[in-house]
Amino acid sequence: MGWIQNLCSVYDQNLEEIKAETKGLLPIGYIEQAAQLEVWIDQGCFEYARVLPKSESMTRIPCTIESSSRSGKNPAPHPLFDKLKYIAKDFDQYSEEGGSYSQYRLFLEAWCKSSYAYPLVRELFEYLEAGTLIQDLVEEKILVLDEQGKLIEKWKGLENKPAIFQIVTGTQADAFVRFVVDGVQLWKDPNLVESFTHFYQDQLRKKERIDLDLITGQQMPVTMRIPSKVRNSADMSKLISSNDSQGFTYRGRFVNPEESMSMGYESSQKAINALKWLINKQGRTFGEAVFVSWGSNITSLIEFNESADLFDLDENLPEFQFDTYEKFSKALNQAMKGYLSKPLIANEEVMTLGLEAATPGRLSIIYYQQTSSSQLFRNVLFWHKTISWYKTLFYKQAETGKTISRQTIGSPDMNKIIKTLYGESVNPKLLASSAKRLVKCIQEGQPLPRDFMQKAVVKALNPYGKSADEYNQILEVCCAVIRKYYIDEARINGKEEEMPVRTDLECKDISYLCGRALAVMNFIEDKAKPENEKKRETNAMRYMGQFSRYPQSTLISLQSKLQPYLLRLKTDYYEYLLSDILSQIDPKRFEDAPLSGKFVLGFHAQLHDLKYGYKKDQAKAEKED
């Protein structure tokens, strides 16, 4: 079963989610649109109107095949709710632009005269036919006229700006209108949904081409137009399109686009509406790309982007705060075990779809993966275990309002990884392509690409111009990425490398030992600095980049600069610790050659232990000294 058949199945299994509220599953033949005006009609007469705030603007509206993806010079009108220039019969009296009421009324009149007619729609049509909508809105002081009695196109200045100009992006003619008739909000009325659906599908059976639907294999009305607004309400790109009559999208192989594809109107609506619903409900956006996962039987799946997302699955789990990697790993196993033990999830088929706009009008599938839940969660578990590292969490105390930090272990989310490596203002295209590569690592268990590790090393070796907290957060993410890469590299070579988060006292790797040594030198200088120099950067941090490139010569220089600070300390503990680390470096292999990324791991692991770990051991050692 392909992605589009899967989405049709999701729609059929979740019909109870078709609700009046926005962001819910849409009925067939409906889209969501931001409305700016709400007009109340009572007993066929105008009652009052109001300008809608943005928080209330999203409206569920019926649409036709043509209007659901309308664009160009002569866009098709919607069947019921639309812009003033479509629905106001008296629009031409108040604007030189020219309205489209004659085109709008054709569908509405046919609907009202059919056997599927809905009384409230008929009452609304009679009001609109009276041709007083613009006049009523002007008298209600919603719309504003100029001295010639025409609608003002733009408001000059900021003072006394009418509400309509504060909410509409174009002119007053572009204000989108929804209706309340006899106290019934039509966009929320299930009876209207039923009336419109039956009428329009009857119209399609009479007018549209009946052909084989390639999605379901059934004969039904087919369409070449697919709804837009898949990723959000402003998204005009479409997943399937065939309006290229000049190029060679289908020309050269087929005479007309209908020969290349026949897709049923009903099944295409189900698939796109299900996809919109899933994206609104559980999609993840990365720049211009959006990724969404769903199951074959249940749509709601855990968020596995960040390890913190997993710890809400089991009420018996401890609070999300771990001081050792072992505790973190145990809790992670427990969370995943509890989740997979649920009968509907154990044998679930999981689909993941990634979408990105190739051009403003074309939406492309950049990623699609279908796998079993058991395999997926094994890969997810492996990702979080191997990319976990120290994390600093910040929260505000309720009593004092002060920001407090606490230390834990966990994995960073994808957005955090990409923006740390490439900067907060990363290009949306780069953000999307990087997210796609990381999704493969998470969901398919693929090794982390080498360039991520290289970028993390470069970023970690550049502490200049950053505050201590800012640099520490960068370092935490970079270490998580570097650790993940080396674990994956060992796995590719058929080895099992533990790569502990806490300082590895058994590791004899020169790069790792050099990182530990630099951390101790940085801590000594920072601890021994006079109070008036506390904000000054230590020599260890200033020479960090140089040390990673020329470790042997830089180490000699740093040791000479460290002597005055060693004399100020009241203990020899840190000097002994530094000597112990340096004594483990093999002098025959120690030269002025660039160090590997393990240098960064050794540096942060040792620095973290000096600041937060081994406190009892350090206090005891300092006392003995």
Side-chain angles (χ1 to χ4, degrees):
M1 188 185 292
W3 64 272
I4 199 163
Q5 288 88 356
N6 269 315
L7 289 170
C8 286
S9 177
V10 166
Y11 191 93
D12 291 334
Q13 291 172 20
N14 293 275
L15 294 176
E16 70 279 1
E17 296 293 334
I18 299 177
K19 300 173 183 176
E21 289 76 15
T22 58
K23 304 300 180 184
L25 188 60
L26 291 170
I28 293 171
Y30 271 71
I31 60 173
E32 285 186 342
Q33 174 72 40
Q36 287 84 40
L37 297 180
E38 184 177 283
V39 176
W40 286 60
I41 307 298
D42 186 54
Q43 301 298 318
C45 300
F46 178 86
E47 187 175 5
Y48 88 100
R50 68 184 181 116
V51 177
L52 293 168
K54 286 187 178 180
S55 59
E56 299 179 32
S57 66
M58 201 54 66
T59 307
R60 191 177 67 172
I61 69 167
C63 63
T64 62
I65 290 175
E66 294 77 20
S67 72
S68 65
S69 56
R70 67 185 188 183
S71 59
K73 295 181 179 179
N74 298 301
H78 292 305
L80 189 60
F81 309 126
D82 214 324
K83 296 179 179 181
L84 276 173
K85 59 186 176 185
Y86 288 101
I87 65 174
K89 188 176 183 179
D90 56 343
F91 181 79
D92 291 343
Q93 301 174 31
Y94 295 91
S95 176
E96 301 294 338
E97 183 181 340
S100 302
Y101 180 76
S102 58
Q103 188 183 1
Y104 164 78
R105 74 179 299 277
L106 291 175
F107 186 97
L108 197 56
E109 183 180 32
W111 184 4
C112 291
K113 289 181 177 180
S114 73
S115 58
Y116 304 104
Y118 186 44
L120 295 182
V121 173
R122 189 178 288 143
E123 183 179 335
L124 172 61
F125 180 57
E126 290 172 358
Y127 165 74
L128 293 174
E129 279 288 271
T132 61
L133 179 59
I134 299 289
Q135 178 186 329
D136 291 336
L137 291 173
V138 171
E139 291 176 357
E140 193 73 7
K141 297 183 179 179
I142 298 293
L143 300 181
V144 186
L145 304 180
D146 60 16
E147 294 175 354
Q148 284 76 40
K150 302 294 183 182
L151 290 171
I152 296 176
E153 290 191 0
K154 289 186 179 181
W155 187 263
K156 296 179 181 179
L158 298 175
E159 293 184 2
N160 302 319
K161 192 174 187 180
I164 186 69
F165 286 102
Q166 295 176 28
I167 200 75
V168 175
T169 53
T171 64
Q172 294 182 89
D174 294 319
F176 200 95
V177 184
R178 70 187 188 193
F179 293 95
V180 179
V181 180
D182 295 344
V184 179
Q185 297 173 318
L186 293 185
W187 63 96
K188 293 184 177 181
D189 189 357
N191 295 323
L192 185 141
V193 172
E194 186 178 357
S195 169
F196 170 76
T197 302
H198 287 139
F199 169 70
Y200 189 52
Q201 292 197 350
D202 182 61
Q203 292 286 299
L204 290 176
R205 283 189 288 271
K206 293 176 181 177
K207 297 180 180 179
E208 292 296 321
R209 178 169 62 97
I210 305 295
D211 206 339
L212 177 68
D213 172 27
L214 295 178
I215 299 174
T216 62
Q218 299 174 2
Q219 293 285 329
M220 64 173 66
V222 295
T223 179
M224 300 302 296
R225 293 173 182 257
I226 301 299
S228 56
K229 303 183 179 180
V230 175
R231 296 173 296 174
N232 52 64
S233 59
D235 182 17
M236 296 308 295
S237 53
K238 308 176 191 71
L239 259 175
I240 302 171
S241 178
S242 61
N243 61 354
D244 180 16
S245 58
Q246 304 298 318
F248 290 91
T249 303
Y250 63 87
R251 291 172 68 245
R253 289 172 290 176
F254 304 101
V255 176
N256 55 61
E258 288 79 10
E259 292 179 353
S260 64
M261 178 193 70
S262 62
M263 186 159 53
Y265 167 75
E266 183 177 340
S267 52
S268 64
Q269 284 280 318
K270 285 181 177 181
I272 298 301
N273 285 350
L275 182 56
K276 289 179 182 180
W277 176 61
L278 289 169
I279 289 173
N280 285 329
K281 184 169 173 276
Q282 58 205 48
R284 295 285 307 216
T285 301
F286 302 93
E288 297 180 355
V290 61
F291 292 85
V292 63
S293 295
W294 69 92
S296 54
N297 294 312
I298 60 169
T299 56
S300 295
L301 295 171
I302 59 169
E303 284 283 350
F304 41 73
N305 185 43
E306 183 178 11
S307 58
D309 298 327
L310 305 176
F311 296 115
D312 292 327
L313 301 174
D314 193 330
E315 294 177 357
N316 298 319
L317 282 173
E319 184 183 356
F320 177 56
Q321 184 173 4
F322 310 101
D323 55 1
T324 67
Y325 176 74
E326 289 72 22
K327 290 180 181 179
F328 166 77
S329 182
K330 185 178 179 181
L332 200 58
N333 283 328
Q334 187 179 344
M336 298 302 285
K337 185 179 178 181
Y339 192 71
L340 286 173
S341 65
K342 298 177 183 178
L344 284 176
I345 298 174
N347 300 311
E348 187 82 355
E349 198 73 19
V350 179
M351 281 64 67
T352 301
L353 188 68
L355 303 171
E356 185 183 8
T359 67
R362 301 287 185 273
L363 194 62
S364 60
I365 296 175
I366 59 171
Y367 182 82
Y368 180 68
Q369 182 69 19
Q370 187 171 331
T371 185
S372 66
S373 59
S374 55
Q375 181 60 52
L376 170 66
F377 292 128
R378 276 197 295 271
N379 293 339
V380 170
L381 185 60
F382 181 75
W383 166 266
H384 287 298
K385 282 188 173 182
T386 53
I387 202 167
S388 56
W389 193 258
Y390 293 118
K391 289 180 74 173
T392 304
L393 304 178
F394 296 93
Y395 65 98
K396 279 191 176 182
Q397 280 187 327
E399 302 82 13
T400 62
K402 291 182 179 179
T403 301
I404 305 297
S405 66
R406 65 177 184 179
Q407 298 298 310
T408 187
I409 291 175
S411 59
D413 66 36
M414 288 199 292
N415 258 320
K416 184 76 171 176
I417 292 172
I418 298 167
K419 289 185 178 182
T420 296
L421 301 187
Y422 295 99
E424 285 293 327
S425 57
V426 57
N427 183 284
K429 289 283 185 185
L430 178 58
L431 179 57
S433 63
S434 299
K436 176 185 172 183
R437 297 168 73 198
L438 288 178
V439 165
K440 289 183 178 181
C441 298
I442 298 174
Q443 302 215 158
E444 300 175 31
Q446 291 191 13
L448 189 75
R450 182 177 175 81
D451 60 290
F452 278 92
M453 184 275 292
Q454 292 173 325
K455 191 71 179 175
V457 172
V458 171
K459 199 76 177 179
L461 296 177
N462 183 26
Y464 319 111
K466 301 177 182 71
S467 67
D469 286 342
E470 183 184 358
Y471 177 63
N472 185 61
Q473 290 190 50
I474 291 172
L475 203 53
E476 288 170 350
V477 175
C478 290
C479 285
V481 171
I482 296 166
R483 177 174 180 262
K484 167 68 177 169
Y485 173 79
Y486 282 113
I487 292 175
D488 286 348
E489 185 183 51
R491 189 171 55 132
I492 293 170
N493 296 328
K495 300 176 183 177
E496 288 294 331
E497 186 161 353
E498 288 296 326
M499 194 69 68
V501 173
R502 203 167 190 176
T503 304
D504 187 358
L505 302 177
E506 304 299 320
C507 182
K508 306 301 178 187
D509 183 270
I510 289 177
S511 297
Y512 192 85
L513 291 169
C514 284
R516 287 184 61 196
L518 187 69
V520 175
M521 287 188 282
N522 175 70
F523 188 81
I524 290 171
E525 185 175 345
D526 198 50
K527 191 177 180 69
K529 275 191 302 188
E531 283 300 321
N532 60 346
E533 295 183 16
K534 284 296 180 184
K535 292 184 179 180
R536 179 178 58 80
E537 205 169 46
T538 64
N539 288 304
M541 297 306 293
R542 287 169 54 208
Y543 284 87
M544 190 179 190
Q546 184 176 322
F547 190 21
S548 69
R549 295 188 298 273
Y550 310 104
Q552 189 183 54
S553 57
T554 309
L555 178 61
I556 296 170
S557 175
L558 283 173
Q559 283 180 303
S560 65
K561 293 177 183 293
L562 192 66
Q563 292 308 310
Y565 300 99
L566 287 171
L567 295 174
R568 292 177 192 168
L569 292 178
K570 297 178 181 179
T571 174
D572 294 330
Y573 171 76
Y574 300 107
E575 186 175 5
Y576 289 145
L577 177 60
L578 178 60
S579 298
D580 178 61
I581 295 169
L582 294 177
S583 67
Q584 297 178 56
I585 298 176
D586 185 354
K588 295 179 181 178
R589 296 168 50 216
F590 190 45
E591 54 187 19
D592 265 351
L595 301 172
S596 70
K598 291 183 181 180
F599 167 75
V600 179
L601 296 181
F603 174 79
H604 191 253
Q606 183 67 68
L607 191 61
H608 189 278
D609 280 344
L610 288 169
K611 287 183 177 180
Y612 306 106
Y614 302 127
K615 290 291 183 185
K616 291 181 181 178
D617 295 341
Q618 288 180 32
K620 185 179 177 183
E622 290 181 14
K623 260 188 176 182
E624 289 174 355
D625 287 344

